[in-house]
Amino acid sequence: MDLTSHDATGPSRRTLLGGAAAALAATAVQWTPLGRIPAASAASTLATPPSFPSGISLYQQTFQNWSEEVTVNGLWSCAPATPADVVTLANWAHAQGWRLRPLGAAYSWSPVVVDPATPAANTLLVDCTQHLTAVTVHAAGGSTPAGVTAQPGVTMDTFLGTLKTAGYGLTGFPVLGAATLGGVLATGGRGTGVPATGETKVPGHTYGSVGNLVTSLTAVVWDAASSAYVLRTFQRTDPQIQALITHVGRAFVTEVTLRVGADQRLRCQSWFNVTAANLFAAPASAGSQSLASYVNSSGRVVCIWFPNTDSPWLRVITPTPTQPWTSRAVTGPYNFPFNDIVPKGISDLLAQIIGGDAAATPSFTAAQMAGVSAGLISTASWDIWGWSSDVLLYVRPTTLRITSTCWNVVTSRANVQRAVSEFYAAYTARLAAYAAEGLYPMNGPLEIRVTGLDDPADCQVTGALGAQLSTLRPRPDHPEWDTAVWFDMTTIPATPDDHRFAGEMEAFIRSNMGAYGQVHAEWSKEWANTSSGAWTDASVISGAIPDSYRAGQATGDGWDAAVATLKALDPSGVFSSAFLDRVLQ
């Protein structure tokens, strides 16, 4: 078996998982989506929503997120053509006792859109991807900096591509281009990057979340004077915008304007010969191949380490205005095509694991890393150079279906190496303990990134206020905490004991790193894990998570203020769900 070969004619990762799903029968349910059924069709299995507004497309369709773990049959969906249609829908829902759930590309792991554990009969999905997709760039002129106005359904591919054409870009953003801007903002989407040693931030850019660049937004909110839902625009200086920038799906934003800056040329060098032992060494023994060293030299580092392997896929990304002679120029994104192909040897091992042979996991993760190293060579992508979105976007919807549990630690730049070394030591020790019992809960890579925090001044609005529910919000009582270290654990859905393992690691990171940083769960991923599954740890949901947004914040400017604002703008909970009612209480 040649595990290093790269068969370009092999199955796509999505196809592979679909074909192997039958083997999951003992541990998961394989759903068959219903497809789109118009409201007037005889094939419809649901009672039509009462007195539904005319002129708005209505249909029945199954909801399914990317990992396919959140799947709900029997939901009504609609496709408003304009923001005014969303207002009409909100007032209809309020009158009829229904709830509206904003829908983008469904590339979130968490049930912030729909929760299969608490499905509601009177729930309508509001699909933004069909019509609410406009994007307009406002070029810089005179003393006015550049900006961009967009609707929530635009994909990041289109959004970033439009910026690139106009000469603008972002420093950091999620790497899945099929995600929508609305979803990215709602969950505090971010990328990778801190200032390298000696680097000066480009005006109009931020090292924090994408939402930190918001200058204004328009949302559908309740107006007490007229006893109706209306469109209202909020400026970055308005205290209520602090809850709306990162609203976790508890609001409906129809338009947003963000600050942008000049696009940057980046060089991305991939290494697969730097050992995990060196990269994650304890601070006292860390050298030039430590993660902190790479962060200091380049500012933008992505580490993808497959368990049970010696060396990770290390991507070091450096602002580089002129093409180095050793780099290959790229003119479009997705320059790691091997990321979407599963060679025959790897697919065989995956089939064994899905079939119940967990002991094949070490061979599977080793084969994945071998595929990465071979793919980098065969596609000449170990050293590429191009505009920011062309270099940073690399995950397609066809990439291997995995589930993800992720936290960050807001801490000082000086603690980056300490955090990664302590996490690596605990992660590998716990994996070894599980393996001794014949258990292999993690068969996907551990991804580590380092970002900056939200600085409201980056949006270039005088008096700008910060997003209260952003995972990158600074702690005013700890100004030295200027950096966030992200730990993203992935595995194939329905892997035995994965949630128990994730819950134990979550408890470790909170108890250990809480001594020198603030721990947050990433809204779009899995969190509050127990052996029963994700989002099942009631103490984390009602205690640790809200407390992480209260700690160190000014009175009246934390979790409770954000929740109060969201409820005030939507007192009837039209834009809520049973899941969000439980989380945002």
Side-chain angles (χ1 to χ4, degrees):
M1 181 182 299
D2 180 8
L3 298 182
T4 62
S5 64
H6 178 73
D7 180 8
T9 64
S12 74
R13 296 185 178 216
R14 176 69 66 177
T15 301
L16 171 68
L17 266 292
L24 286 169
T27 55
V29 177
Q30 174 65 18
W31 295 89
T32 303
L34 298 177
R36 182 173 298 179
I37 303 174
S41 171
S44 176
T45 60
L46 302 173
T48 303
S51 305
F52 190 76
S54 61
I56 299 176
S57 174
L58 178 68
Y59 48 90
Q60 180 182 330
Q61 191 169 24
T62 290
F63 172 85
Q64 187 172 73
N65 74 339
W66 186 44
S67 70
E68 300 177 18
E69 291 180 291
V70 179
T71 303
V72 180
N73 287 316
L75 287 176
W76 283 110
S77 301
C78 68
T82 65
D85 281 349
V86 181
V87 174
T88 297
L89 288 166
N91 285 308
W92 165 82
H94 178 258
Q96 298 297 330
W98 278 58
R99 284 181 153 180
L100 307 180
R101 303 303 306 130
L103 176 63
Y107 289 122
S108 173
W109 282 264
S110 67
V112 294
V113 177
V114 177
D115 179 17
T118 55
N122 295 344
T123 296
L124 177 69
L125 298 180
V126 182
D127 187 354
C128 301
T129 65
Q130 296 188 49
H131 305 297
L132 300 179
T133 59
V135 53
T136 304
V137 177
H138 313 293
S143 60
T144 303
V148 58
T149 299
Q151 292 179 319
V154 64
T155 66
M156 293 303 290
D157 274 331
T158 299
F159 179 75
L160 293 167
T162 302
L163 287 179
K164 172 189 162 185
T165 299
Y168 301 105
L170 306 180
T171 290
F173 43 83
V175 296
L176 180 61
T180 59
L181 178 63
V184 167
L185 294 174
T187 56
R190 44 78 198 183
T192 301
V194 293
T197 301
E199 179 181 344
T200 300
K201 180 167 32 184
V202 176
H205 285 250
T206 184
Y207 297 109
S209 66
V210 176
N212 188 48
L213 294 171
V214 168
T215 60
S216 67
L217 60 80
T218 300
V220 180
V221 301
W222 180 254
D223 179 63
S226 59
S227 296
Y229 283 87
V230 298
L231 288 171
R232 182 180 301 165
T233 298
F234 300 81
Q235 302 300 322
R236 189 61 187 267
T237 53
D238 188 327
Q240 290 184 310
I241 203 173
Q242 294 180 274
L244 292 171
I245 295 173
T246 306
H247 58 74
V248 201
R250 185 56 179 83
F252 202 118
V253 173
T254 62
E255 185 178 86
V256 62
T257 297
L258 301 97
R259 181 70 61 225
V260 293
D263 204 357
Q264 293 179 284
R265 296 276 199 178
L266 302 176
R267 180 189 191 185
C268 177
Q269 296 171 282
S270 288
W271 305 96
F272 45 89
N273 59 351
V274 177
T275 67
N278 285 338
L279 195 64
F280 306 129
S285 59
S288 61
Q289 290 189 330
S290 67
L291 185 70
S293 178
Y294 287 111
V295 168
N296 289 337
S297 64
S298 294
R300 299 150 179 82
V301 178
V302 178
C303 175
I304 299 176
W305 178 68
F306 293 90
N308 309 299
T309 64
D310 293 328
S311 301
W313 177 13
L314 177 65
R315 297 209 303 275
V316 180
I317 304 155
T318 311
T320 309
T322 304
Q323 180 183 356
W325 71 270
T326 56
S327 299
R328 177 171 66 88
V330 296
T331 57
Y334 308 109
N335 291 289
F336 305 117
F338 52 86
N339 208 46
D340 293 317
I341 299 294
V342 177
K344 179 66 165 59
I346 298 178
S347 66
D348 288 344
L349 290 167
L350 178 55
Q352 291 179 42
I353 293 170
I354 294 176
D357 182 10
T361 298
S363 296
F364 174 61
T365 55
Q368 289 184 86
M369 186 56 208
V372 168
S373 56
L376 288 168
I377 294 171
S378 66
T379 61
S381 53
W382 66 86
D383 187 350
I384 60 175
W385 175 84
W387 293 114
S388 59
S389 58
D390 294 338
V391 170
L392 297 176
L393 286 173
Y394 78 100
V395 177
R396 297 178 184 270
T398 50
T399 301
L400 182 62
R401 179 170 66 95
I402 56 176
T403 189
S404 173
T405 302
C406 184
W407 318 270
N408 76 5
V409 180
V410 173
T411 187
S412 67
R413 180 79 169 259
N415 280 329
V416 168
Q417 194 63 29
R418 175 184 177 182
V420 298
S421 65
E422 291 179 355
F423 188 93
Y424 173 72
Y427 185 73
T428 52
R430 200 168 299 275
L431 283 178
Y434 271 67
E437 299 178 20
L439 302 174
Y440 297 87
M442 293 289 112
N443 47 46
L446 167 68
E447 183 169 324
I448 296 178
R449 294 172 181 257
V450 179
T451 70
L453 304 186
D454 288 349
D455 179 356
D458 292 344
C459 74
Q460 299 176 304
V461 173
T462 302
L465 300 171
Q468 290 166 328
L469 297 183
S470 169
T471 54
L472 292 176
R473 195 178 197 203
R475 280 273 298 265
D477 60 332
H478 279 286
E480 76 279 12
W481 292 356
D482 57 358
T483 302
V485 185
W486 296 83
F487 302 100
D488 192 354
M489 303 190 324
T490 70
T491 197
I492 302 298
T495 298
D497 294 288
D498 60 338
H499 293 296
R500 177 164 69 97
F501 182 93
E504 292 171 357
M505 287 304 302
E506 183 168 4
F508 164 79
I509 195 173
R510 289 189 188 281
S511 63
N512 192 73
M513 299 180 190
Y516 56 90
Q518 179 64 68
V519 177
H520 290 297
E522 186 166 20
W523 289 120
S524 62
K525 306 291 178 64
E526 292 189 348
W527 31 270
N529 283 273
T530 70
S531 56
S532 299
W535 317 293
T536 60
D537 191 328
S539 64
V540 169
I541 290 174
S542 64
I545 288 178
D547 286 348
S548 71
Y549 292 92
R550 295 180 178 122
Q553 303 299 333
T555 302
D557 188 22
W559 173 272
D560 301 291
V563 172
T565 296
L566 292 170
K567 290 181 178 179
L569 296 176
D570 178 26
S572 299
V574 166
F575 299 122
S576 191
S577 67
F579 177 77
L580 291 178
D581 289 344
R582 182 162 63 99
V583 174
L584 300 173
Q585 56 181 309

